[in-house]
Amino acid sequence: MKSYLEDLNIHPEVLNLKKELIFLRREIHKYPELLYDLPKTSQLVKTYLRTLGLEVHSKVGVSGVVGVLRGEGPCVLLRADMDALPIEETANLEYKSAYPGKMHACGHDAHVAMLLVAAKVLVGLKDRIKGSVKFLFQPAEEGGHGANAMIQDKTYPVLSASPIVEEVYAVHVTNSIPIGDFLAAEEFASANSAYFHIDLKQKLEEANCVYVGAQVISSIQNISSLVPPEYTMVLSTTVFQGNPEFCKVGGTIRNYEEQVKETLYKNLKNICKGVEATFGVEANVWFEEFYSPTVNDPVCTAKASNAFTKVVSKAKRHRDSPLIGEDFCYFTKEKPGCFLMLGCATEEKNHPIHSKKFELEEEALLIGCSYWVQLVEDLLIR
């Protein structure tokens, strides 16, 4: 097998733990669990952190787990999400999902494994660390607002519970860029993620809701021309179903700036008013909002980028803002931080996340895990 570890500064202890790192990722991959229902994954994380001698808080935000490496000085939070997706895995792997219709198609299994092993390495450095680290393992990133649940947890509010968090960081794997590269956006690390729903109901007997729905879709396609070209956005129709008496039109909205979202919402409402006045139907639009944009702090992003390039000296930093939804936004609303994407793509393994064929080049785990260790060394070892 081709090695991607040449000319890299993989932390020696991470390299020593390579088999353990891969074993953990594969074990989690075999047993994918959804949203907050994570009994097996949460138990694995809790047990592993306790064997390291860390202070452990479980059932945070229903099923989240936090390990605390406590010391005198500032506190940083490192986040890994744990939940999988309701997707049937088709990749032919020896550690393929054992649960039909469930799959770690977003790489959260890798996130957990990398952070667990990084915690193990950092425990070995605890006498040199001048501060605290919260290793946070989060449920329900895939549309369940798990980050907010952990922040708002009354028994252990992760940001404000002692030690109080000062900065927040997350890593997410991606096959959109090559292994060894990383994406650290200048500002928006993820997009506003929302869905629109338009219900058309016949008022006049001669009105045909299917015809009106087609007119609505045509009008939606023109909305993008009302947004200045310097702004990035997606407004895509994904649902069209019904009959002459009742019809549904729906789709997705992705953008960054609040004023762009307001423009899109306003024009969708105007389309509904227009078809009501013209075609003898009742038209109601409503919006389902998931995540607001994750905003990278420039100082934290510089720290993260510097740490990554210490691990991969030839790494290319990608700076574009991805049109993804991500609930790390709840953390960056409260504290400065950086959401960094870890390139994993190879010629053989390049299917995108959320694909039933998604595969991960496991040597990338060593890069991500070493990045975590390097970042904490940079932040807290003086």
Side-chain angles (χ1 to χ4, degrees), residues 283-335:
N284 294 305
V285 61
W286 53 283
F287 302 97
E288 188 178 6
E289 296 193 351
F290 278 86
Y291 301 140
S292 58
T294 298
V295 180
N296 277 350
D297 175 81
V299 174
C300 293
T301 302
K303 293 175 184 177
S305 300
N306 185 55
F308 195 96
T309 53
K310 286 182 180 179
V311 178
V312 189
S313 61
K314 297 179 181 179
K316 177 182 177 183
R317 176 186 169 185
H318 300 253
R319 299 169 183 264
D320 50 307
S321 296
L323 281 166
I324 60 172
E326 170 57 61
D327 83 343
F328 196 65
C329 63
Y330 289 109
F331 289 111
T332 61
K333 279 182 181 178
E334 302 295 330
K335 301 289 180 177

Side-chain angles (χ1 to χ4, degrees), residues 140-298:
E141 189 281 325
E142 298 290 354
H145 306 272
N148 193 47
M150 295 190 78
I151 292 169
Q152 301 298 330
D153 189 286
K154 292 182 180 179
T155 59
Y156 190 79
V158 292
L159 294 178
S160 58
S162 176
I164 297 172
V165 171
E166 295 188 16
E167 295 178 352
V168 294
Y169 295 89
V171 168
H172 201 299
V173 298
T174 178
N175 276 349
S176 66
I177 57 176
I179 187 169
D181 286 356
F182 70 104
L183 191 159
E186 296 284 1
E187 181 179 7
F188 296 111
S190 71
N192 169 61
S193 173
Y195 298 88
F196 69 89
H197 305 270
I198 298 174
D199 295 333
L200 302 170
K201 185 178 180 182
Q202 186 184 63
K203 287 178 67 177
L204 300 178
E205 189 174 342
E206 62 271 21
N208 185 324
C209 290
V210 173
Y211 173 79
V212 177
Q215 301 306 306
V216 167
I217 292 172
S218 179
S219 298
I220 288 172
Q221 292 173 339
N222 294 326
I223 289 179
S224 59
S225 65
L226 302 174
V227 177
E230 63 267 26
Y231 296 111
T232 301
M233 51 77 66
V234 170
L235 179 61
S236 177
T237 303
T238 58
V239 175
F240 182 47
Q241 61 186 37
N243 55 52
E245 296 180 355
F246 183 81
C247 186
K248 283 183 172 289
V249 177
T252 185
I253 298 170
R254 297 289 171 93
N255 72 283
Y256 303 116
E257 295 83 3
E258 185 67 21
Q259 66 268 33
V260 174
K261 184 181 80 170
E262 291 174 359
T263 296
L264 298 176
Y265 281 22
K266 177 182 176 182
N267 282 281
L268 286 166
K269 292 175 183 176
N270 287 341
I271 288 172
C272 290
K273 291 177 182 177
V275 296
E276 277 190 331
T278 306
F279 295 107
V281 298
E282 180 182 325
N284 294 305
V285 61
W286 53 283
F287 302 97
E288 188 178 6
E289 296 193 351
F290 278 86
Y291 301 140
S292 58
T294 298
V295 180
N296 277 350
D297 175 81

